[in-house]
Every structure is written in structure tokens, then in C-alpha cells.
């Protein structure tokens, strides 16, 4: 079975109906309008009334990702975290969201205290969402973050153009316009499809100005037979303490 791709732009472009004719994934901010966690800076925070209207306006297959605000992504226990959780849960329920994205700020390091706090937040969502996606900022190594994400049963968001994509049924990738890379051509997008490989779902956010054109090419490449048959592919993830081979189609 071919991987099902959900592809979106960095922000909502135009009205939701027009956007849904071109893309089938949208990240929706919650919490404080001023983002401090490295997420979509400047993204507006829509009301629940607006979210209800959006859900009704798009096709059933359209996927929403609810992005946790700084109150929740900071992982600090207290009233702010509880408020952030409530906002995310409410938005996810209204949108029938496929994913919740927790983008932790740079201050959330690989130390034991932050790992424990992350685990506690993850536990609250176990029965509430289909995919809980974690996007760490700062000093995390991809290999270490992948090991922790696998242990917690969540999806690690990566930039598939630059980082190895962890094994699992679901992939979540943010393709950033960084440095000299201002856009992604067909060759780069084909490498991304191969890096994602065969799995159930792949969520891809294009943060470039040419997201619409890139979306069309990416979708075409993802449907090509030579890029979707990756069932026997293997890759190496190197957690600290040794190397472990894993299959690209391995289930979580």
C-alpha cells in the first residue's frame, strides 16, 4: 500500500476552502498568540467557532494538526500547563485533528528532569489523539530524540531534507527554507520521498514561498512506483551505546 501523504504550507493562505483545494494539511496554533517555542511565529490563534467552521468547510480527508502553545510546550507543571492542555484538547476535538504537535523550546534539554516532564505531558494525551508529534528545539541530537520518542510512543518531527526519518508507521516532516536552500526542486523532493519511505501516513509541512508548486511535485513523486516500494529498506539509527538497524516500515 502506498504511503498516504498529507501536505501543507507554513500558514493558511487565503480562505480555508481555497487552501483545501491545494493542500490537505494545516497546522493550527493554540494558546498565546506570541509564540516562544520555535513554532509558527506570528501565527494567529483562531477561536473555537472559527475552528468549527473550518472543519465543516474542508473534505473529510483533510488533516489538521493542533500546535500546542507555549503554556503547554514549556512542560512546566502548574496552572499554565493545565490551561494549555485544555486549549489543545478542545481544539483537537473540534477539528477532529489527526495530530497534536508539541514543539518544545530550547530550554527543554536532554536532562533527566525534562525527559520526565515530557513523559508526564505525553501520558495525558495517550487516549486523546491519533498522533502526538514532538518537535524538540535546541541541543537535542536526532538519534537521542528518536530513541526517547520511540520509548514514549510518539512521533518525532524532523526535516527530512537534512535529518534521518525515524522508523514507524507515521512520519512528520517540516521542510524549512534555510541557508542557501530557498526552495526544493524535483531531485531534492525525490530524495525526501525516499527518506520517508513506506509507512502508513506522512505529514509534510512546506515552509517555502513555492509551497504550492512543491506540493504538486511531491505528491506526484510520492505516487510513483519507484519511490513507494521501500518495504525491504533498512536504515541505521545510532542511539548512544550502540547501533540498531530498523526497518523503514516497522510499526511503533
Amino acid at each position: 500500500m502506498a504511503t498516504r501523504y498529507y501536505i501543507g504550507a507554513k500558514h493558511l493562505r487565503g480562505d480555508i476552502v481555497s487552501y483545501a483545494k491545494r493542500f490537505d494539511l494545516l497546522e493550527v496554533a493554540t494558546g498565546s498568540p506570541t509564540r516562544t517555542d520555535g513554532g509558527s511565529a506570528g501565527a494567529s490563534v483562531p477561536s473555537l467557532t472559527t475552528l468549527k467552521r473550518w472543519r465543516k468547510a474542508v473534505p473529510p480527508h483533510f488533516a489538521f494538526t493542533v500546535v500546542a502553545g507555549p503554556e503547554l510546550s514549556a512542560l512546566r507543571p502548574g496552572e499554565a500547563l493545565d490551561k494549555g492542555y485544555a486549549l489543545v484538547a478542545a481544539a483537537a476535538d473540534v477539528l477532529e485533528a489527526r495530530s497534536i504537535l508539541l514543539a518544545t523550546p530550547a530550554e527543554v534539554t536532554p536532562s533527566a528532569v525534562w525527559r520526565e516532564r515530557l513523559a508526564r505531558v505525553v501520558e495525558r494525551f495517550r487516549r486523546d489523539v491519533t498522533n502526538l508529534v514532538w518537535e524538540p528545539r535546541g541541543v537535542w541530537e536526532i538519534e537521542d530524540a528518536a530513541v526517547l520518542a520511540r520509548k514514549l510512543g510518539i512521533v518525532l518531527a524532523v526535516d527530512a531534507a537534512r535529518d534521518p526519518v525515524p522508523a514507524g508507521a507515521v512520519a512528520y516532516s517540516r521542510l524549512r527554507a534555510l541557508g542557501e536552500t530557498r526552495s526544493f526542486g524535483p531531485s531534492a523532493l525525490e530524495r525526501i520521498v525516499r527518506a520517508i519511505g513506506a509507512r502508513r501516513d506522512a505529514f509534510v509541512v512546506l515552509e517555502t514561498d513555492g509551497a504550492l508548486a512543491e506540493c504538486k511535485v511531491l505528491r506526484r513523486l510520492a505516487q510513483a512506483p519507484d519511490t513507494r516500494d521501500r518495504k525491504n529498506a533498512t536504515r541505521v539509527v545510532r542511539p548512544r551505546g550502540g547501533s540498531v538497524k530498523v526497518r523503514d516500515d516497522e510499526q511503533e
Side-chain angles (χ1 to χ4, degrees):
M1 180 182 296
T3 303
R4 169 67 185 181
Y5 272 74
Y6 299 89
I7 306 172
K10 184 176 182 180
H11 299 303
L12 177 63
R13 303 182 177 190
D15 63 90
I16 189 66
V17 174
S18 298
Y19 179 91
K21 292 179 180 179
R22 298 167 174 83
F23 303 99
D24 52 12
L25 170 65
L26 178 64
E27 293 185 337
V28 178
T30 62
S32 171
T34 303
R35 301 301 302 280
T36 60
D37 57 0
S40 300
S44 60
V45 179
S47 66
L48 289 180
T49 300
T50 297
L51 298 186
K52 291 178 182 178
R53 176 167 51 83
W54 285 1
R55 181 68 268 180
K56 293 179 180 179
V58 299
H61 70 272
F62 190 95
F64 287 100
T65 294
V66 174
V67 182
E71 300 92 344
L72 181 59
S73 61
L75 304 184
R76 294 183 178 277
E79 292 183 6
L81 186 145
D82 293 338
K83 177 184 176 182
Y85 171 80
L87 291 171
V88 168
D93 182 60
V94 169
L95 290 171
E96 301 174 7
R98 299 288 180 91
S99 306
I100 284 177
L101 176 67
L102 188 66
T104 53
E107 67 185 61
V108 176
T109 67
S111 67
V113 64
W114 289 113
R115 290 171 184 262
E116 184 177 344
R117 287 179 176 179
L118 176 62
R120 289 175 182 172
V121 170
V122 168
E123 186 63 31
R124 299 181 72 162
F125 283 103
R126 284 196 183 278
R127 296 178 177 83
D128 295 338
V129 298
T130 301
N131 304 309
L132 182 56
V133 183
W134 174 41
E135 189 171 11
R137 313 288 181 171
V139 299
W140 286 88
E141 297 289 341
I142 292 295
E143 293 82 1
D144 290 343
V147 171
L148 180 57
R150 188 170 184 82
K151 178 181 178 181
L152 297 177
I154 59 180
V155 178
L156 179 69
V158 299
D159 184 343
R162 299 171 176 85
D163 303 317
V165 184
V170 176
Y172 202 104
S173 181
R174 186 179 310 282
L175 304 182
R176 299 180 175 87
L178 296 174
E180 297 181 357
T181 302
R182 310 311 302 172
S183 63
F184 295 93
S187 296
L189 291 172
E190 184 173 3
R191 289 194 295 271
I192 289 165
V193 171
R194 291 185 180 277
I196 291 173
R199 55 191 78 219
R200 188 183 71 236
D201 297 315
F203 299 83
V204 180
V205 178
L206 294 159
E207 294 197 344
T208 59
D209 292 335
L212 178 56
E214 293 165 351
C215 174
K216 294 177 180 178
V217 175
L218 180 60
R219 202 176 299 283
R220 174 174 56 81
L221 290 170
Q223 294 171 350
D226 63 333
T227 59
R228 71 186 184 207
D229 185 15
R230 305 287 292 169
K231 290 185 178 180
N232 294 321
T234 60
R235 46 188 297 283
V236 177
V237 176
R238 294 184 175 86
R240 291 179 179 176
S243 298
V244 181
K245 287 189 176 181
V246 293
R247 292 171 58 88
D248 274 347
D249 62 332
E250 184 178 354
Q251 300 295 307
E252 296 200 38

